[in-house]
Amino acid sequence: MDVMGDKATLYGTGRFVQASVREEPRDETGEAADEAAEELRQRLAAETGDVEAMSVLGAMLLRRGDLDGAEPHLRAATAAGDRAAANNLGVLLHQRGYADDAAGWWRIAAVAGSAAAAHALGRHHRERGDEPAAEYWLRQSAEQGHTLGAYALADLLEHRGDADGTERWMRAAAERGHREAAYRLARALDRRAAQQADAGGVPPADEAEQWYRQAAARGHRRAALHLGAILERRGELREAGRWYLTSAKDGEPRAACALGFLLRDAGDAENAAVWWLRAAQDGDGNAANALGALHAERGETQTAERWYRAAMDAGDVNGAYNLGLLCAEQGRTQQAEQWYRRAAYAGHREAANALAILLLRAGDETGAEPWFSKAAEAGSVDAAFNLGILHAGRGEEEAALRWYERAAAAGHTEAALQAGMARLRDGDEGEAERFLRCAAGGGSAEAAYRLATVLDARRPPEPAHELGEPVHRRSECEEWYERAASQGHRRAQVRVGMLAAARGDVVDAARWYREAAEAGSRNGAFNLGLLLAREGSEPEAVVWWTRAADAGHGRAALRLALVYARRGELAEGQRWADRAVALGPEAVAERAKRLRDALRQELSA
């Protein structure tokens, strides 16, 4: 499918790269000169006793890392009542390792109204485990509009389980441009939407996306990953790839892995492998599995095995399962069983199902059943169906039906067919119809045929035209017969042919009979012969009756006996009469017996 343009050179074309504003070259020499001039100006002012200059100069030296030079200026400004200097003095002391002294100066600055100091003091109390004091000062900071204070308060409230307070302050921080707050707010909104969907409610509009977008635009690589996933689910693959690329380039292995899958789906396996390799080398087990599958498809089994082992080492249990599949394909049954067991014990449901199948094929039904059960209880639909087969083989119809219905409820077409047929045997036509409809809707030709027979049996007789001509109305059962017939179901093809013949459509009837007959249906061959004989093509009818009789159709053998008798080929007629007697059914055998005896008398006369 055409999803992202030129697939061969996708990641190298710049199609995914965000447009960026070109930065003007910086004049670092000029900036350094300006900074030195500003520092000199502030120093001269500070020497004259300018409190603000002392505070600014101390802050400049603190940013530069000159703690010894900054401290006297900050202390002097703090003594003169400058709250910014008090806050910065706290920062300086904290950097020196004097946390308690730092807290004292932060408290002075916070009481004087410094939001930054209140934030720092709140962080200090939280590190000490004094959550009530931490909440008090962080709230003071947040309510003054301090972004970091709002984020830290939200983090504290989340730890306490205060969902409403967390969202309020996380939103406040996000609205002020805090990228981690925007990301965490988006994650919380995502979780809430998922819970509402699971509960059967209607999730709210996807507000999470706008916050992911805000965080991603500010360089948050995990936000870019989630934004890419949202866009991919929506089918906006080009933009999804752009955000995956942004995140991957920032070092997010999951984004590199997702970008690889996007490229593979676009047909660009080579570039997909490049990104999977990058992700796998960063420890992404899913990417390692993808590389393994890629090499397995190419027949490079040793390389595939190496990457599956790498996935397993990265903690991805799919690696062990895939190793089991690889060994099973190579006929290394013992090794396959070992890897399946390893994955199954780690909770991999499909590995448990595969292990059970392996044991069952080896004749160990007792060992297989618990693994089928474990896989089915973990949600494996195939395992539930296999349990149904297992119980049905033992004659435990009730247990088999229970597992068939469980698998059918999860969308397993063959299980729905088996459940429908079991319900039919029990006489529960209503439930049978429900399951057969599910299976037929899932593409099962046998289910479509069985459903049609159920509906056909309850169909009322065709109403007659007032002049005695039948009026044909297309029924639902005919639609199901035709669906099954179009999927190659031979009995359905014969039935569709019969319905066509009944309404006088000889051409359509012949087409369906011929299709069934050529697929091996003896009833189709017999009916086609009847149709051809009525239309005056007895020689061709004999060809199809011969095919039907050779396949064991008694009535076809009787027809051949009659044809050859009329032609005067009595010995051949007697041979086919003998065949009809042997094949039956009883009424046919009786007629064939009388014909055979008459032919014998004629031959012996």
Side-chain angles (χ1 to χ4, degrees):
M1 57 180 176
D2 182 13
V3 290
M4 291 181 290
D6 182 1
K7 295 181 282 194
T9 57
L10 186 60
Y11 87 105
T13 59
R15 291 173 187 268
F16 289 160
V17 179
Q18 292 179 306
S20 59
V21 179
R22 180 175 296 177
E23 294 183 2
E24 295 294 331
R26 294 173 58 188
D27 183 359
E28 295 183 3
T29 304
E31 287 182 4
D34 290 344
E35 187 175 343
E38 176 62 18
E39 181 182 336
L40 179 59
R41 190 177 69 81
Q42 296 294 344
R43 191 178 294 278
L44 291 172
E47 289 174 357
T48 65
D50 188 323
V51 174
E52 184 179 353
M54 295 177 195
S55 179
V56 171
L57 178 60
M60 290 177 72
L61 295 170
L62 178 61
R63 280 196 299 273
R64 191 189 301 163
D66 183 0
L67 304 188
D68 291 336
E71 186 171 352
H73 296 293
L74 292 175
R75 286 191 179 277
T78 299
D82 189 291
R83 69 183 187 188
N87 176 55
N88 287 332
L89 181 57
V91 172
L92 184 147
L93 292 169
H94 190 271
Q95 290 182 15
R96 288 188 184 279
Y98 303 123
D100 292 334
D101 291 342
W105 291 111
W106 282 331
R107 180 181 295 274
I108 290 170
V111 169
S114 171
H119 165 248
L121 186 57
R123 291 285 300 275
H124 169 80
H125 283 298
R126 188 171 184 193
E127 289 168 4
R128 294 292 187 272
D130 187 353
E131 290 193 0
E135 181 180 351
Y136 174 82
W137 289 110
L138 290 175
R139 195 175 292 277
Q140 293 295 316
S141 174
E143 288 176 349
Q144 291 179 64
H146 194 274
T147 302
L148 295 177
Y151 175 72
L153 177 58
D155 187 67
L156 176 62
L157 294 173
E158 184 178 52
H159 172 70
R160 288 186 171 184
D162 182 353
D164 292 338
T166 300
E167 182 174 339
R168 176 194 169 193
W169 290 110
M170 202 68 80
R171 189 181 294 276
E175 287 170 349
R176 294 167 191 159
H178 194 291
R179 71 179 189 182
E180 183 66 24
Y183 171 71
R184 288 177 63 174
L185 176 60
R187 296 294 295 142
L189 292 169
D190 250 354
R191 287 191 293 269
R192 183 193 301 168
Q195 289 167 358
Q196 290 181 0
D198 291 342
V202 179
D206 195 4
E207 184 190 358
E209 182 182 342
Q210 76 178 63
W211 293 112
Y212 281 135
R213 194 176 291 277
Q214 177 173 309
R218 293 177 177 273
H220 197 292
R221 70 185 194 187
R222 285 175 294 165
L225 167 67
H226 285 284
L227 178 57
I230 289 171
L231 293 165
E232 183 180 1
R233 286 194 299 270
R234 205 158 62 209
E236 298 176 22
L237 302 185
R238 189 187 300 273
E239 190 181 359
R242 181 165 64 87
W243 286 111
Y244 282 149
L245 182 63
T246 298
S247 180
K249 284 184 172 180
D250 285 340
E252 178 55 59
R254 290 176 296 170
C257 180
L259 180 58
F261 281 110
L262 213 58
L263 289 162
R264 182 205 62 182
D265 293 343
D268 189 357
E270 293 305 316
N271 282 323
V274 170
W275 288 102
W276 282 334
L277 178 61
R278 182 168 174 172
Q281 288 173 338
D282 286 339
D284 189 283
N286 195 23
N289 270 315
L291 278 172
L294 188 67
H295 288 288
E297 287 172 7
R298 295 171 176 171
E300 301 165 354
T301 54
Q302 289 185 334
T303 307
E305 184 169 338
R306 178 167 62 84
W307 281 113
Y308 287 148
R309 287 179 182 274
M312 192 175 59
D313 292 341
D316 191 326
V317 70
N318 283 310
Y321 173 58
N322 287 330
L323 278 167
L325 291 174
L326 193 66
C327 292
E329 287 172 3
Q330 295 172 336
R332 296 155 57 195
T333 307
Q334 187 175 355
Q335 291 94 327
E337 181 181 338
Q338 290 172 354
W339 290 117
Y340 284 149
R341 282 188 186 277
R342 182 163 179 172
Y345 278 122
H348 196 293
R349 65 190 188 189
E350 297 310 327
N353 181 57
L355 174 60
I357 291 172
L358 207 65
L359 294 171
L360 194 60
R361 286 175 178 166
D364 187 3
E365 184 176 311
T366 304
E369 186 175 355
W371 286 111
F372 276 138
S373 296
K374 186 173 182 179
E377 294 296 345
S380 171
V381 180
D382 288 334
F385 175 62
N386 290 335
L387 273 173
I389 295 174
L390 199 66
H391 286 291
R394 297 173 183 164
E396 299 166 358
E397 300 297 336
E398 188 176 335
L401 178 59
R402 186 172 65 251
W403 285 110
Y404 284 147
E405 290 186 349
R406 182 165 176 172
H412 196 291
T413 299
E414 186 62 26
L417 170 62
Q418 295 300 325
M421 292 172 65
R423 290 294 188 181
L424 273 180
R425 288 192 296 271
D426 294 341
D428 189 348
E429 192 174 287
E431 278 296 287
E433 181 181 342
R434 182 171 70 85
F435 283 112
L436 290 174
R437 283 188 184 277
C438 289
S444 169
E446 181 66 25
Y449 172 73
R450 298 273 182 173
L451 175 60
T453 60
V454 168
L455 298 172
D456 203 1
R458 66 169 81 131
R459 185 171 56 157
E462 291 285 354
H465 189 270
E466 60 182 3
L467 297 179
E469 296 178 2
V471 176
H472 178 74
R473 290 187 178 88
R474 184 178 175 80
S475 63
E476 186 188 3
C477 75
E478 288 181 72
E479 294 175 2
W480 287 112
Y481 277 136
E482 287 185 10
R483 181 180 293 195
S486 65
Q487 292 176 260
H489 195 285
R490 293 182 299 180
R491 284 175 295 171
Q493 289 168 341
V494 172
R495 184 61 181 146
V496 171
M498 292 171 66
L499 291 169
R503 64 175 178 264
D505 189 346
V506 177
V507 174
D508 203 35
R511 177 173 69 86
W512 285 113
Y513 286 151
R514 190 180 300 276
E515 198 164 327
E518 288 175 348
S521 169
R522 61 189 187 185
N523 284 329
F526 174 70
N527 286 358
L528 180 58
L530 288 178
L531 201 66
L532 291 167
R534 286 196 206 101
E535 296 298 313
S537 301
E538 189 175 87
E540 190 179 354
V542 167
V543 172
W544 290 106
W545 282 335
T546 302
R547 182 181 289 195
D550 287 341
H553 199 287
R555 291 176 65 196
L558 179 57
R559 286 278 176 174
L560 287 169
L562 291 168
V563 167
Y564 285 112
R566 282 198 306 273
R567 291 178 181 176
E569 300 178 31
L570 304 184
E572 187 68 8
Q574 185 178 341
R575 185 175 75 82
W576 282 112
D578 283 338
R579 178 76 171 148
V581 170
L583 292 174
E586 188 176 344
V588 169
E590 280 297 318
R591 289 181 63 193
K593 219 180 275 184
R594 289 196 296 272
L595 177 60
R596 181 187 62 186
D597 293 343
L599 291 173
R600 278 179 182 166
Q601 289 177 5
E602 189 71 24
L603 284 168
S604 61

